[in-house]
Amino acid sequence: MGLFLAIFLAILTFFVAMAFYYEHPKAKIPHGFSQRRKLYIFHYAVNFGFGLAKVLEKVGIASEVEFLRAVMDGIPPLRDKQLFIRDLRFEKVEVRIYQSKSSTTGQRRGILYFHGGVGLFGSIRAYERTCRYFARQSNSVVVSVGYRLAPEHPYPRQFEDCLATTIHFMRTAQDYGVDPSRIIICGDSSGGTITAAVAQALVNRQDLPKLRAQILIYPFLQGLDFDLPSYQQNEGMPILLRERILSLGLKYLNIELPVTKTSFKAFKGNHVPEDLLLKYRKWVSSDIIPPEFKRRGYTPSTTYSFSDEIYALVKPVFDTVFSPLLAEDSVIAQLPETFILTCEYDVLRDDGLLYKKRLEDHGIKVTWCHLQEGFHGTVLLAVCGALLAFQSGNEGLENIVHFLRLM
């Protein structure tokens, strides 16, 4: 028995050691952060997961992506007695519909939810608790979209699936007790990217009802500038480290470009030709970021010479499906009412601030929720129990539900 225990502990130690060897970025959490210790623990747990995924792939047990997907799916919640839940397909795309069992005198609002995960991870199951929460708390019909993932289904299939399901739902909303004029699309992180892109794709559709609103929860919105104040201030802030967002984003686009501290310089301007830099500077620039968001530190980036080779490799990052912030004014001016949630300790904070300004400059009504102690992923964790929830995530959920109830 002692021999087997020794072998087991040796194997366990090997996997733990190798996991941290392959994934051990240091977190930089400000001392004023009220739940600092808890976030450190969560950070190292996430790093262990990423590292273990690499180890398992190298020894041939499971692919990195498959393992991380399984971990993110987690343990499904128990049956919900307040909701009718059923699995369907909209235009061959898997969806799960959540409807309240309580009676209502009229039609409900409808919410299409596009999950995060950089187009590589996430699923209906991973966001089960989130969608149940919104259905219960806002008395809405929620459609969770199980769009197909990369790399098996290359970009932009994820956007195409979400657009197709949105159009299908808009045309059939009344079959689910939904008022077609009260349809809202919502997403977090890369799901927020898809939400923004779908809203833009629908602005000129005369054959469909208009979206009531869009909800963007700490969205990624541009691939032009990875050196904005929020990227500098939060480069080591869990869970979305600056190096991690670049490596995962390139993997999503199926671009083979090593992302190390050396090659990161390629994303400080080398990939942007001068004509695009001049065109987009009025929309994407640190000069537009309000001064209060630079107080934690910001150093204007050094100008790097343009590289045709890098531009050719990363050209898809300028596509408005990947970078909705780069859409033309004629599109932005037609977008629906918008709710934007940003987090102070998130590399993507400034993407949300810049999009907020563009929308407001065109007269679009924007409800902005800024979580002073928020970090990337905090809203998702808020529905996962007290062990994983942070105060900022609870605050974010409350603000989203309040907005939904007004729609």
Side-chain angles (χ1 to χ4, degrees), residues 316-350:
V317 304
F318 302 107
D319 180 358
T320 55
V321 168
F322 188 81
S323 298
L325 182 54
L326 306 184
E328 297 296 332
D329 287 334
S330 59
V331 173
I332 300 294
Q334 299 181 70
L335 289 171
E337 184 173 346
T338 303
F339 176 99
I340 298 178
L341 183 145
T342 55
C343 295
E344 178 61 28
Y345 299 107
D346 180 9
V347 291
L348 300 183
R349 180 198 68 197
D350 293 348

Side-chain angles (χ1 to χ4, degrees), residues 7-43:
I7 294 173
F8 170 77
L9 290 175
I11 293 173
L12 180 63
T13 301
F14 168 78
F15 277 111
V16 170
M18 291 302 292
F20 282 112
Y21 172 78
Y22 282 111
E23 193 75 26
H24 58 275
K26 293 182 179 179
K28 298 177 183 178
I29 305 174
H31 286 281
F33 194 87
S34 63
Q35 295 179 285
R36 192 165 182 257
R37 182 177 297 178
K38 182 176 181 178
L39 187 54
Y40 262 119
I41 294 171
F42 184 72
H43 165 72

